[in-house]
Amino acid sequence: MRDLFLLGYLVALLAVALRRPFLFTLAYIYVDTVSPQRLSWFLLNRIPLSLILAALAMGAWLIADRKDGLRFTMRQGLMLLMLAYAGVTTLHADFPVEAAVKWDWAWKAVAFAVFLPFTLRTRLRIEATLLFLTLSAASIIITGGIKTVLSGGGYGVLNLMVDNNSGLYESSIISTVSIALIPIIWWLMRHGTIFPPDWRVKAFGAGLIFACLLIPVGTEARTGLVCIALLAVLMLREVKRRFLYIALLGTLGLCAIPLLPSSFTSRMQTIEGYQGDQSAGTRLAVWGWTLDYVKDHPFGGGFGAYRQNRVQVNLTDAQASGAVESIDSRTVEDAGRAWHSSYFEMLGEQGWPGLAIFLAIHLIGLVRMETIRRRYRRRDDLPWAAPLATALQHFHLIYLLGGAFVQTAFQPFGWLVIGVQMGFDNWLAKREKAGRPRQGFAPAPPLPGASAGAA
């Protein structure tokens, strides 16, 4: 039954895309995020859906879309440079077979993000892309939220529709993405036009935000708790009554603690006592090994270079019995542990040049969104632009923080949001250059509002 539903949805979406070719791009985003071929038992699991839909999206743009005002930005150039550099390191990788496997999907994620801004030539398309990204991730988040409410979840226990933990189905990655999406969900609730913000949209949005907050509880991913803390801080920029906000936040936090599973609170306490936690200790040891590795390999070892690491972790457990405290120390050896950080992932695999390009791409995005936020926050002609820039910037900051503790350097979802950032920036630049003070979905004067040509 699930196979028939997934197949029927895709067929219906592609049928509509024959009349609105931009929907091929949205269909690719859905497939790349949800991976329905991994959810299918037999109908879709042998079909290269991502490759087919990427080809359809690019072909539809080449054949049917307008190319006026096309812009190629510095960030797109840096992304192509990063791809070229990663291709070279893949050819000379320490583990050629494993590197080729990661290259097979990593280059597609970045390449499609380079292509995406070319298609986002109207506000309607920008909003539709954000909506598809949000709802595609929501199909995973809502499932996880329901299971958390019913069972409480648990580290390595919460099943998010599939048994493997790649893509958004990995606990720390979905925890990061779920919290990072909250600002975008909030923007859609307030400024959306595809689904105007009535009580139904706001109710669904509030429920989805609640499900997003439940994901770190269900997965017991410490990364999610750190991301929630950053989100709370970032929201201080937008609230008018900050002292009231802080008081309410503290009250809600105190009320939530008794309702949390004991396994969750126990695992979160290991953030402070990382010396006794093998996972955290191994992570720090791998990072130290990476810094030593790039001293001799400054250009990186290619994808999968972590497989050669050998680390020793000194663990210390302190247990108190009355007035007596006993300390147990032991040494644990491990090998072939993953990076557990997008920054050390880039450093170990692509070396210092790759890390520099990677950081430049993200830094430019943060600066551009801040520039747009300040330029449009007092403009009456585009009241939604500054809030969208803020939402995209907050997503970016939370995603980067989560990336410090989990490998997200080449995760497609983050690159797709960066593609939306670039498309949004390009649309505003083209609008300013044309000198159009009015707001509209389509850039051409004869097509006011959300016309058929907008999609």
Side-chain angles (χ1 to χ4, degrees):
M1 183 61 70
R2 183 168 65 180
D3 285 44
L4 293 175
F5 173 80
L6 292 171
L7 180 62
Y9 175 75
L10 273 176
V11 169
L13 185 58
L14 295 179
V16 177
L18 294 175
R19 292 176 56 87
R20 300 289 186 270
F22 176 67
L23 289 180
F24 284 121
T25 299
L26 301 185
Y28 172 84
I29 290 173
Y30 162 74
V31 168
D32 206 43
T33 303
V34 181
S35 299
Q37 62 272 31
R38 289 163 56 195
L39 300 175
S40 173
W41 291 103
F42 62 93
L43 290 178
L44 300 175
N45 55 3
R46 296 186 180 275
I47 301 175
L49 286 178
S50 294
L51 180 62
I52 293 172
L53 287 172
L56 288 173
M58 294 180 182
W61 177 76
L62 285 171
I63 296 172
D65 216 345
R66 291 161 51 182
K67 313 297 188 301
D68 56 302
L70 201 66
R71 297 177 76 240
F72 186 82
T73 65
M74 179 185 295
R75 268 198 290 174
Q76 288 171 295
L78 287 173
M79 289 161 67
L80 290 178
L81 177 61
M82 186 180 74
L83 270 187
Y85 183 83
V88 173
T89 61
T90 301
L91 293 176
H92 301 89
D94 294 343
F95 296 88
V97 175
E98 291 80 0
V101 172
K102 182 172 179 179
W103 167 259
D104 187 56
W105 60 265
W107 78 267
K108 298 173 187 175
V110 181
F112 198 86
V114 173
F115 161 73
L116 183 60
F118 296 146
T119 70
L120 302 182
R121 58 180 181 80
T122 67
R123 176 192 168 171
L124 179 61
R125 291 189 175 190
I126 294 169
E127 182 183 335
T129 304
L130 285 174
L131 188 63
F132 256 72
L133 281 167
T134 300
L135 293 180
S136 296
S139 66
I140 306 172
I141 293 169
I142 293 173
T143 300
I146 293 173
K147 291 183 177 180
T148 299
V149 171
L150 296 178
S151 66
Y155 183 65
V157 174
L158 189 67
N159 187 300
L160 298 171
M161 296 193 289
V162 296
D163 293 331
N164 60 60
N165 62 349
S166 59
L168 289 191
Y169 294 98
E170 199 278 329
S171 59
S172 293
I173 293 178
I174 191 60
S175 294
T176 297
V177 169
S178 64
I179 303 304
L181 269 177
I182 290 177
I184 294 177
I185 298 170
W186 183 251
W187 183 85
L188 290 169
M189 289 169 59
R190 297 175 60 200
H191 301 281
T193 56
I194 297 176
F195 294 104
D198 58 13
W199 68 269
R200 293 167 296 180
V201 170
K202 292 178 180 178
F204 178 81
L208 181 55
I209 289 174
F210 181 64
C212 289
L213 293 171
L214 284 176
I215 290 297
V217 177
T219 60
E220 294 187 1
R222 291 167 293 195
T223 305
L225 182 63
V226 176
C227 291
I228 290 174
L230 178 59
L231 174 64
V233 173
L234 291 174
M235 289 177 64
L236 283 170
R237 295 206 309 173
E238 303 302 314
V239 297
K240 296 180 179 179
R241 300 178 180 179
R242 295 181 179 178
F243 290 106
L244 178 61
Y245 165 76
I246 293 173
L248 289 174
L249 199 64
T251 302
L252 289 174
L254 291 174
C255 293
I257 290 175
L259 303 177
L260 296 173
S262 58
S263 59
F264 173 81
T265 54
S266 298
R267 181 164 173 79
M268 295 307 111
Q269 288 172 357
T270 61
I271 295 176
E272 181 180 357
Y274 66 90
Q275 297 91 342
D277 182 69
Q278 183 174 346
S279 175
T282 303
R283 192 169 301 191
L284 293 173
V286 170
W287 296 349
W289 177 89
T290 307
L291 292 174
D292 291 334
Y293 174 78
V294 293
K295 290 179 182 178
D296 298 323
H297 304 80
F299 299 103
F303 293 132
Y306 70 88
R307 297 174 184 275
Q308 60 196 296
N309 64 45
R310 299 289 186 276
V311 297
Q312 288 186 341
V313 183
N314 297 317
L315 301 178
T316 302
D317 293 328
Q319 296 181 353
S321 178
V324 179
E325 183 179 31
S326 61
I327 298 178
D328 178 30
S329 298
R330 67 186 190 279
T331 300
V332 178
E333 295 185 358
D334 211 336
R337 290 300 297 264
W339 308 109
H340 288 293
S341 168
S342 59
Y343 308 110
F344 284 95
E345 176 189 3
M346 287 300 300
L347 179 60
E349 295 181 344
Q350 312 304 327
W352 293 109
L355 178 62
I357 298 171
F358 178 76
L359 293 177
I361 292 169
H362 289 290
L363 181 60
I364 292 172
L366 294 174
V367 172
R368 287 303 305 159
M369 292 303 102
E370 180 64 18
T371 301
I372 293 172
R373 187 184 78 87
R374 296 188 179 190
R375 180 179 299 168
Y376 287 90
R377 60 184 173 182
R378 292 185 177 88
R379 293 269 294 265
D380 295 330
D381 55 329
L382 291 177
W384 55 271
L388 179 55
T390 302
L392 291 172
Q393 185 190 59
H394 287 183
F395 173 95
H396 206 158
L397 286 168
I398 296 169
Y399 191 78
L400 288 177
L401 177 63
F405 307 102
V406 66
Q407 292 176 205
T408 58
F410 288 93
Q411 281 297 323
F413 195 90
W415 287 110
L416 288 171
V417 177
I418 289 176
V420 175
Q421 278 188 0
M422 294 187 292
F424 173 50
D425 195 355
N426 291 348
W427 184 82
L428 290 175
K430 186 172 73 171
R431 184 179 181 277
E432 291 292 331
K433 184 177 180 180
R436 296 191 184 108
R438 69 181 184 84
Q439 176 182 351
F441 290 130
L447 300 174
S451 65

